[in-house]
Amino acid sequence: MAQAKTSKLTASEEALKKEIIGKVNRHFGKVMEEATPHMVYTACALTVRDKIMEQWAKSHQTVKKMGAKKLYYLSFEFLMGRLLCTNILNLLQTDTYQHVLEDLGYSLPEIAELENDAGLGNGGLGRLAACFIDSLTTMDLPAYGCTIRYEYGLFRQKIVDGYQTELPDSWLDHGNAWEIARPEETVEVKFGGEVYTDWVDGKFVCNYNNSHTILAMPYDVPLCGYKSKIVNKLRLWSSKSPDHLDMKAFNQGDYVRAIEEKELAEVISKVLYPEDNHTEGKELRLKQQYFLVSATLQWILKEFEERNGQDWSKIPEKVVIHINDTHPTMAIPEMMRLLMDERGLGWEEAWDIVTHTFAYTNHTVMSEALEKWPLDMFRKILPRLYMIVEEMNRRLMEQLERVYPGDHAKHKYMAIISDNQVFMANMCLASCFAVNGVSKLHTDILKKDIFADYYNMNNSEFYAITNGITFRRWIANCNPALTELISSKIGNEWIKDAKHLDKLKKYAKDKEFKKQFAEIKHQNKVNLAEYIKEHNGIEVDPDSIFDVQCKRLHEYKRQMMNVLHILAEYNRLLEDSAYLEKYYPKTYIFGAKAAPGYTRAKLIIKLINSIGEMINNDTRIKDKIKVVFIENYGVSIAEKLIIAADISEQISTAGKEASGTGNMKFMLNGAVTIGTLDGANVEMLEQVGEDNIYIFGLKADEVAARVKFAGADEVKDIYSSNTALRRALEQLIDGTIVPEHQMFRDLYQTLLFGDYGFPDTYMVIRDFEEYMKTQEQMSIDYQNRDKWIEMAIMNTASAGFFSSDRTIGNYNDNIWHLKPIK
Ligand code: 26W
């Protein structure tokens, strides 16, 4: 049992203490002395939830009374992370909870650690959705996040013998204190069978035969904003079998089959697909997609009808539906279906509503991520939607013939249905009133390249809306010491109104401020070093440069370039004793999950661990380099890593990273970026100025030009002239790293010869030299402590633009037009 402290509590703290003890008593039937820390966590969470719920009822009424327009943000991913501390922060109760928990013999951070991350997402797109909902609520804008209540979130990564292994993330094991089940709002979703359309008494009817019904039951997670009175919610849909058990089968003794049937229905919301930037066209994924959008659209229309009656033409005034990448695109034909088949509207009328209600964000230009579904599968699982999509395509083709007469290649490229596949991005482009990219550069590429034909057709408005991050989680909550220091100088308005952060610039040369800023970074590094010691058994020096690359593992993000550079450094330290003597120590830290089916990405993880093993144990280099791979990278680990970084690695092949958001988190917490002119890095450079960021490498247009002429000769030339790089590459296959020297051959092969005769697809070889030189310069500059700290401060002070509040402001002004609730 924890040792209670006897310090003096204020009256409101005493009241909270009573509440928490009360929850332990009533929720678990335990007295405080018997409670496990887990029970204390849940009790705290429930008291927080109570406070949010009190606001919720009021806020709900106000929204209703105002008849306010609402945003439904549809996303297959919401990477929320933990909620206890951010909710407490948003309610301005951090000190109160801290005092009370201390009084009870615990600490807030220790209790908060017990919450499982809600890991309902893969990476950037999912975390963006989570930041958005925080900003929307903080800005008093009425919005709902809608997603699936996956029983298993993104897999838990365990490194075994250097390899990634995947374990299920059963995040709901201890229950979820934040959610409220809404069984009374359950809806039916139908799959498969045959559809017969008919006219009965002049009315269009749709009959379903042999279709299979699954129930969608919502769970709501109420969400509060920072210093805000409104409460929004995240609605999570869970699949259920309509019959508790097939009693007939059950009574006939077929017990196992009866259970199986039930399981089959529930499998839909079982697990998040761990694919990032790659689609596989799996039947279950298609079912998940329809499940979420059908349930959500039924709910949206019901809510609309309750508030506004049956004047459906008013939908675009009251409702805006945002589609987070193409994954929820089927919401479009589903709305057509609901309006036509269930509300009796004609095609034109329904189409007019739909095309004024949906907006779409694209998050990637990687061709393997652009979703398409085999037509047969689509028809089999969603027969009615298939008919609607076919009609959408037929009408689109007529339109294209008018706009681009006779240009059959264009028609095919723009079609919703072609080559026996359904193209989801084209479905969005043909129906959404607004389309946006997630940085300036990315939007330019959409307009000039992959979506150029749609852009020129003027079907929808195109916007460049640069991503952002919520400052509540990504500094106020994860870096309290820095937050306090900043607020002590410029007040705390910047947490809600990020443009004030700019005021910090005048302290970049203030001696005392610099000292304190540096001390906080150092303490964060000490804490991370402890974490590494505990989890990796590796001793790292907090005075060394912490160089961090953490993000999903993908070839275009070029973890490989980082690895080759580390190898080259290591070789040089071994060969050149003068260099070793003057070398400033560096700790390279990686965190990354690879999609379980992405063999090459998994091999890169093994490589990182293998070179770590080799380098960390080589006494000849006198601990000058350490390489650490942090297992199971996710939101909560990011919160520890990012605040301790000196250098932020944002080194994707230019043109490939749509925006990046990790880059902004590092910047905000005073890391200096080494990066290419890709995604939002371009705008980071604009904000922070070229003296405070290290930019290298080919630009997006140069990359595009080089891809076209393959570049085998160029790669060959570099290979022969750059000995450091050549050695590092050869070490991949000569037994230096591991005795099984063929293990990493694929990595060597693909860089030098490519998969189909095109070497170095991601320009690792072609950008290497500049990368190496830039790294070298950074090591020199780091040793000029005064200069470096000034740069770090300038990064923090220039990060205001990257608040997701600004991003949400842009979406709202251009696309959503929601009114803040007073
Ligand atoms: C199922 C297949 C799949 C899953 C996820 C395809 C594509 C995705 C996402 C589009 C991948 C993703 O997360 N993209 C990232 O989105 C971030 C938020 O806009 C950007 O900052 C990143 O640059 C982009 O890679």
Side-chain angles (χ1 to χ4, degrees):
M1 196 212 101
Q3 204 57 48
K5 256 206 215 152
T6 43
S7 61
K8 199 115 184 71
L9 294 182
T10 64
S12 60
E13 288 169 349
E14 279 297 347
L16 176 63
K17 181 175 162 186
K18 255 200 193 140
E19 268 181 69
I20 294 174
I21 295 173
K23 292 286 181 200
V24 168
N25 299 156
R26 288 188 291 276
H27 199 79
F28 294 106
K30 296 270 182 194
V31 293
M32 207 54 200
E33 290 68 29
E34 287 175 338
T36 63
H38 248 289
M39 291 173 186
V40 176
Y41 157 74
T42 304
C44 281
L46 291 173
T47 60
V48 175
R49 200 184 82 177
D50 281 352
K51 295 179 204 318
I52 302 175
M53 297 288 276
E54 280 162 26
Q55 291 187 12
W56 197 7
K58 282 184 223 148
S59 134
H60 191 73
Q61 278 316 99
T62 318
V63 175
K64 214 169 163 176
K65 253 194 244 143
M66 276 178 65
K69 183 177 186 182
K70 268 191 272 184
L71 164 69
Y72 296 83
Y73 195 85
L74 267 59
S75 176
F76 274 79
E77 306 188 7
F78 271 89
L79 201 41
M80 301 296 283
R82 293 180 178 134
L83 288 179
L84 183 66
C85 282
T86 43
N87 276 339
I88 290 178
L89 175 92
N90 281 356
L91 293 168
L92 307 179
Q93 301 259 329
T94 306
D95 289 345
T96 312
Y97 273 84
Q98 224 144 20
H99 293 160
V100 171
L101 280 169
E102 270 164 27
D103 187 77
L104 290 167
Y106 298 90
S107 80
L108 179 55
E110 156 204 6
I111 289 297
E113 284 275 328
L114 298 173
E115 180 173 353
N116 286 329
D117 271 38
L120 309 186
N122 275 286
L125 158 145
R127 184 52 232 177
L128 187 76
C131 284
F132 279 8
I133 202 83
D134 182 78
S135 284
L136 280 157
T137 316
T138 296
M139 295 164 77
D140 298 319
L141 299 171
Y144 297 139
C146 311
T147 192
I148 291 181
R149 183 176 179 270
Y150 303 103
E151 209 177 306
Y152 297 95
L154 185 61
F155 64 86
R156 204 151 53 78
Q157 180 192 54
K158 196 165 164 47
I159 302 298
V160 179
D161 194 21
Y163 290 99
Q164 165 176 302
T165 56
E166 299 94 27
L167 298 172
D169 162 47
S170 44
W171 68 293
L172 290 168
D173 272 358
H174 288 276
N176 177 4
W178 304 109
E179 67 184 14
I180 298 143
R182 302 283 195 204
E184 69 284 1
E185 292 190 52
T186 299
V187 296
E188 290 187 352
V189 180
K190 282 192 170 62
F191 292 94
E194 303 96 42
V195 177
Y196 301 97
T197 54
D198 206 352
W199 292 94
V200 179
D201 302 331
K203 267 193 158 176
F204 178 82
V205 286
C206 238
N207 296 307
Y208 293 76
N209 229 347
N210 299 319
S211 66
H212 188 71
T213 301
I214 285 175
L215 299 183
M217 172 163 137
Y219 289 76
D220 288 341
V221 175
L223 297 164
C224 57
Y226 180 73
K227 291 189 181 176
S228 129
K229 284 274 174 289
I230 81 156
V231 175
N232 280 320
K233 74 183 177 196
L234 180 61
R235 174 157 274 208
L236 302 141
W237 294 96
S238 181
S239 64
K240 281 171 71 78
S241 163
D243 316 304
H244 276 295
L245 279 179
D246 178 349
M247 286 315 281
K248 208 162 122 213
F250 192 69
N251 292 335
Q252 284 164 358
D254 202 351
Y255 168 75
V256 172
R257 195 177 71 73
I259 301 275
E260 270 172 6
E261 293 264 298
K262 188 169 146 61
E263 283 282 299
L264 234 45
E266 283 161 22
V267 81
I268 290 191
S269 59
K270 195 59 90 182
V271 58
L272 166 80
Y273 269 84
E275 248 86 64
D276 179 77
N277 262 306
H278 182 79
T279 66
E280 273 206 285
K282 285 272 165 36
E283 215 173 287
L284 182 59
R285 170 88 178 171
L286 183 69
K287 286 186 179 159
Q288 286 188 334
Q289 294 195 347
Y290 184 63
F291 172 78
L292 171 63
V293 305
S294 177
T296 305
L297 262 294
Q298 292 182 55
W299 164 52
I300 294 175
L301 290 186
K302 186 163 163 269
E303 238 192 24
F304 173 84
E305 191 172 357
E306 278 166 11
R307 301 215 172 150
N308 307 286
Q310 298 192 346
D311 185 357
W312 309 110
S313 68
K314 287 229 160 62
I315 291 176
E317 267 172 53
K318 299 288 176 190
V319 171
V320 55
I321 304 176
H322 207 96
I323 297 188
N324 199 23
D325 217 276
T326 56
H327 321 150
T329 302
M330 269 176 304
I332 296 166
E334 177 66 0
M335 187 155 178
M336 290 296 289
R337 182 186 77 81
L338 291 168
L339 291 176
M340 295 190 304
D341 299 3
E342 298 193 359
R343 311 291 197 286
L345 271 64
W347 182 280
E348 311 287 348
E349 231 181 325
W351 185 247
D352 190 54
I353 294 167
V354 165
T355 50
H356 290 90
T357 303
F358 285 93
Y360 154 63
T361 301
N362 171 280
H363 293 267
T364 177
V365 298
M366 303 290 291
S367 56
E368 62 267 40
L370 292 179
E371 280 194 301
K372 44 192 186 295
W373 292 105
L375 200 58
D376 289 344
M377 187 196 287
F378 197 100
R379 187 194 291 130
K380 186 184 90 185
I381 295 176
L382 307 167
R384 176 63 184 138
L385 236 58
Y386 170 78
M387 296 161 112
I388 293 171
V389 171
E390 229 187 6
E391 180 60 13
M392 280 167 70
N393 189 55
R394 194 188 64 75
R395 289 171 185 248
L396 172 67
M397 286 302 145
E398 284 179 1
Q399 185 191 1
L400 292 180
E401 187 50 44
R402 289 193 298 274
V403 183
Y404 298 120
D407 193 341
H408 298 295
K410 239 181 209 140
H411 300 176
K412 191 170 168 201
Y413 183 75
M414 297 174 77
I416 298 173
I417 299 175
S418 78
D419 288 335
N420 282 314
Q421 289 175 312
V422 186
F423 288 85
M424 304 311 267
N426 286 345
M427 199 187 297
C428 286
L429 294 162
S431 3
C432 291
F433 70 89
V435 174
N436 77 283
V438 290
S439 70
K440 279 196 228 164
L441 176 68
H442 170 232
T443 311
D444 278 346
I445 295 173
L446 295 183
K447 287 182 186 172
K448 287 192 192 130
D449 191 358
I450 67 167
F451 296 160
D453 299 328
Y454 270 102
Y455 174 64
N456 295 328
M457 188 163 98
N458 254 332
N459 214 36
S460 24
E461 290 296 330
F462 274 62
Y463 300 98
I465 306 185
T466 303
N467 282 167
I469 55 173
T470 167
F471 282 21
R472 272 73 64 186
R473 181 175 295 268
W474 295 110
I475 183 162
N477 185 54
C478 70
N479 202 346
L482 185 58
T483 304
E484 218 180 291
L485 175 65
I486 297 171
S487 297
S488 75
K489 295 292 176 203
I490 63 169
N492 64 10
E493 271 170 297
W494 62 278
I495 299 173
K496 192 161 174 152
D497 188 353
K499 67 173 184 292
H500 293 289
L501 194 50
D502 220 47
K503 297 178 194 158
L504 202 64
K505 285 183 182 159
K506 68 168 180 280
Y507 294 94
K509 290 188 192 295
D510 178 312
K511 228 169 133 204
E512 182 54 28
F513 182 78
K514 281 165 92 165
K515 190 168 149 262
Q516 291 171 312
F517 193 96
E519 274 167 11
I520 289 166
K521 178 65 81 182
H522 191 261
Q523 186 56 50
N524 292 340
K525 289 169 77 177
V526 169
N527 297 346
L528 181 60
E530 270 167 27
Y531 181 92
I532 290 170
K533 176 83 191 132
E534 190 185 329
H535 291 82
N536 298 60
I538 301 171
E539 202 88 55
V540 304
D541 177 5
D543 288 320
S544 64
I545 303 173
F546 279 20
D547 179 315
V548 184
Q549 185 171 22
C550 57
K551 47 182 81 246
R552 279 300 284 253
L553 213 139
H554 201 290
E555 286 163 274
Y556 84 80
K557 297 182 189 275
R558 300 200 292 192
Q559 281 94 351
M560 207 45 213
M561 190 159 70
N562 191 344
V563 170
L564 287 170
H565 172 252
I566 298 171
L567 269 176
E569 287 278 85
Y570 168 67
N571 292 331
R572 193 165 164 200
L573 292 178
L574 284 178
E575 271 161 15
D576 183 344
S577 58
Y579 188 66
L580 177 66
E581 233 21 76
K582 67 168 203 267
Y583 187 83
Y584 195 88
K586 249 183 129 173
T587 302
Y588 290 96
I589 300 168
F590 292 87
K593 286 181 181 174
Y598 190 175
T599 314
R600 187 170 292 155
K602 291 175 93 170
L603 192 58
I604 296 173
I605 291 179
K606 171 66 178 167
L607 176 64
I608 297 170
N609 283 306
S610 298
I611 65 156
E613 185 92 348
M614 171 177 81
I615 294 175
N616 299 340
N617 296 316
D618 190 336
T619 50
R620 291 172 299 173
I621 60 158
K622 300 184 176 157
D623 289 333
K624 291 281 187 163
I625 298 183
K626 288 282 165 81
V627 181
V628 179
F629 187 93
I630 308 265
E631 190 175 67
N632 201 34
Y633 180 63
V635 174
S636 289
I637 292 177
E639 291 170 16
K640 297 183 179 38
L641 273 184
I642 288 170
I643 61 171
D646 295 307
I647 294 181
S648 157
E649 297 269 353
Q650 307 302 336
I651 58 178
S652 52
T653 315
K656 303 288 182 213
E657 189 71 271
S659 161
T661 44
N663 47 1
M664 305 167 186
K665 294 164 196 166
F666 282 100
M667 180 189 189
L668 179 60
N669 286 281
V672 178
T673 301
I674 176 166
T676 46
L677 280 180
D678 199 14
N681 294 355
V682 176
E683 291 155 79
M684 281 165 52
L685 166 66
E686 277 170 26
Q687 294 295 322
V688 80
E690 59 181 9
D691 293 342
N692 300 308
I693 186 168
Y694 292 80
I695 298 291
F696 73 97
L698 296 168
K699 319 235 180 329
D701 49 350
E702 294 166 337
V703 169
R706 277 197 170 58
V707 169
K708 283 185 191 120
F709 83 93
D713 291 339
E714 210 183 349
V715 170
K716 216 191 292 165
D717 284 350
I718 298 169
Y719 185 78
S720 25
S721 61
N722 188 329
T723 41
L725 174 61
R726 187 169 66 241
R727 275 217 42 210
L729 282 165
E730 277 166 0
Q731 284 172 336
L732 295 177
I733 54 163
D734 71 1
T736 307
I737 303 168
V738 284
E740 311 91 302
H741 54 269
Q742 292 308 307
M743 178 183 284
F744 300 118
R745 176 165 283 280
D746 172 72
L747 302 176
Y748 171 85
Q749 198 78 20
T750 183
L751 288 171
L752 287 170
F753 306 102
D755 295 312
Y756 305 99
F758 298 103
D760 196 27
T761 318
Y762 296 103
M763 317 275 147
V764 170
I765 291 176
R766 279 165 281 187
D767 272 344
F768 184 82
E769 183 154 342
E770 264 197 60
Y771 177 64
M772 194 166 82
K773 288 191 174 139
T774 312
Q775 278 278 2
E776 215 168 304
Q777 188 59 49
M778 288 179 94
S779 278
I780 295 168
D781 293 348
Y782 185 86
Q783 293 169 65
N784 181 348
R785 296 306 295 138
D786 221 45
K787 179 177 174 207
W788 187 273
I789 293 160
E790 208 174 300
M791 279 202 286
I793 296 171
M794 284 304 287
N795 270 275
T796 300
S798 309
F801 177 77
F802 300 105
S803 161
S804 47
D805 301 348
R806 187 269 311 146
T807 312
I808 290 301
N810 294 163
Y811 275 95
N812 200 40
D813 293 345
N814 292 307
I815 303 176
W816 302 330
H817 309 297
L818 307 167
K819 295 216 167 54
I821 302 298
K822 293 273 152 42

